Amino acid sequence: MRLLRSTDLALRVLMRLAVAGESTPTTRQVAEDMDVPYTHAAKVVAELQHLGLVDARRGRGGGLTLSAKGRTASVGAVVRTFEGEGDVVDCEGASPCPLNSACRLRGALRTAQEAFFAALDPVTVEDITARPTGPLLLSIAGRT
């Protein structure tokens, strides 16, 4: 399974903010740290804020912080939210699959997708930023 760019970025933003300490990086700084376009980062940050995982303050002294809910957020829940609940394959799209009425593959792929999410459910943002990841994230942000 391949994650959407927005899902990958959401996880990296959460990880970056988890190790930010007292600093409050801006969306622009996080985008630069992650080497992604600002507009893409802004959309992801807005969704994370909407989910209550990130707090954002505007103006002087503003920036991004990880909320308490964000620290203990399930990686599986974040991935589900950003990936959506759709099927792995599109059997009924513009060219419907001729096997659609009797296909067993779609069910097997859905089971595999749920197993993927279930494996990520007990993993929290705190878990994925523990050593050695946390110090590496700080070095990427230019804070040694």
Side-chain angles (χ1 to χ4, degrees), residues 15 70-76 120-130:
M15 292 171 68
R71 288 196 183 286
T72 59
S74 161
V75 172
L120 294 174
D121 282 340
V123 180
T124 66
V125 172
E126 286 179 332
D127 294 335
I128 60 175
T129 56

Side-chain angles (χ1 to χ4, degrees), residues 62-110:
L64 305 173
T65 55
L66 190 63
S67 69
K69 181 179 176 183
R71 288 196 183 286
T72 59
S74 161
V75 172
V78 173
V79 172
R80 268 190 192 86
T81 299
F82 277 84
E83 292 291 313
E85 292 293 327
D87 287 324
V88 175
V89 292
D90 184 13
C91 301
E92 300 172 17
S95 302
C97 177
L99 302 175
N100 199 15
S101 64
C103 183
R104 298 177 76 183
L105 176 61
R106 187 157 123 183
L109 290 173
R110 182 55 138 161

Side-chain angles (χ1 to χ4, degrees), residues 7-30:
T7 306
D8 174 47
L9 182 55
L11 293 171
R12 290 191 288 147
V13 167
L14 292 172
M15 292 171 68
R16 169 64 181 88
L17 295 178
V19 299
E22 296 297 315
S23 71
T24 54
T26 64
T27 301
R28 190 166 304 282
Q29 288 168 325
V30 170

